[in-house]
């Protein structure tokens, strides 16, 4: 659904790593964040996400999170089924799962994390199939 340029990914990883290594150098990090914002096209990067990032994710996944676009196009019902399937079957990377959960939430107005990970909260079996979950999300979405 989206491709990440390998050169941008490498550059983003380099910048993030430099920020994390020199976290207390505020002046230098301000420049590096500015460079990262220019690279990603995002203007709201929170430097705190780089502090000891290795405790919650990898350098590559963090860089991917920043390079994934913020505003996807509208999803069709078929695309919602596909995304839910790939999330349920763990076909996406960590950063992609986070991205698509956010997209689904924006698209539907629902807390889709609960639909996917706790389907019994919405009248489905605990081990509901992805197509049942997607169907329920589509049926419950806020218009």
């Amino acid at each position: 659904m989206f491709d990440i340029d390998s050169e941008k990914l490498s550059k983003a990883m380099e910048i993030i790593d430099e920020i994390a290594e020199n976290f207390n150098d505020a002046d230098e990090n301000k420049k590096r964040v500015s460079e990262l914002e220019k690279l990603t096209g995002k203007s709201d990067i929170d430097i705190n996400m780089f502090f000891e990032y290795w405790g919650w994710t990898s350098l590559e996944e963090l860089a991917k999170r920043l390079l994934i676009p913020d505003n996807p196009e509208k999803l069709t019902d078929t695309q919602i089924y596909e995304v839910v399937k790939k999330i349920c079957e763990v076909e996406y990377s960590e950063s992609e799962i986070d991205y698509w959960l956010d997209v689904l939430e924006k698209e539907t107005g629902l807390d889709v994390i609960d639909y996917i990970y706790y389907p019994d909260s919405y009248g489905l079996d605990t081990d509901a199939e992805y197509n049942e979950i997607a169907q329920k999300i589509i049926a419950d979405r806020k218009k």
Side-chain angles (χ1 to χ4, degrees):
M1 302 239 187
F2 52 81
D3 292 314
I4 295 177
D5 180 283
S6 61
E7 288 182 32
K8 282 186 174 183
L9 179 61
S10 293
K11 185 64 177 171
M13 289 170 61
E14 177 185 317
I15 295 169
I16 292 166
D17 200 35
E18 288 174 8
I19 292 170
E21 285 181 18
N22 303 302
F23 196 77
N24 293 321
D25 188 346
D27 291 334
E28 184 61 30
N29 282 339
K30 187 175 181 179
K31 293 177 200 171
R32 302 306 276 159
V33 169
S34 178
E35 188 178 349
L36 195 54
E37 288 177 340
K38 184 177 178 183
L39 179 71
T40 63
K42 297 179 180 179
S43 61
D44 59 347
I45 295 176
D46 180 6
I47 192 171
N48 292 314
M49 72 185 331
F50 307 128
F51 183 68
E52 297 184 359
Y53 67 83
W54 50 86
W56 60 276
T57 193
S58 70
L59 177 58
E60 183 175 353
E61 287 299 314
L62 183 54
K64 284 180 180 178
R65 286 173 201 265
L66 293 173
L67 290 168
I68 291 173
D70 282 335
N71 300 314
E73 55 189 72
K74 189 116 174 99
L75 296 178
T76 65
D77 289 357
T78 303
Q79 289 171 318
I80 291 173
Y81 274 97
E82 180 183 338
V83 169
V84 171
K85 176 183 186 273
K86 288 183 176 186
I87 291 171
C88 289
E89 295 181 358
V90 195
E91 293 180 26
Y92 287 130
S93 69
E94 178 185 324
S95 56
E96 290 171 318
I97 287 174
D98 288 345
Y99 171 78
W100 286 113
L101 287 170
D102 188 49
V103 168
L104 286 172
E105 186 173 306
K106 288 175 183 172
E107 284 280 319
T108 63
L110 303 172
D111 186 6
V112 294
I113 292 171
D114 286 345
Y115 280 79
I116 292 171
Y117 296 110
Y118 308 104
D120 55 319
S121 299
Y122 295 94
L124 300 171
D125 289 336
T126 304
D127 57 349
E129 297 290 325
Y130 81 87
N131 57 336
E132 296 172 291
I133 295 168
Q135 185 176 8
K136 183 69 172 157
I137 289 170
I138 291 167
D140 291 356
R141 75 177 153 200
K142 297 176 171 123
K143 306 282 185 217

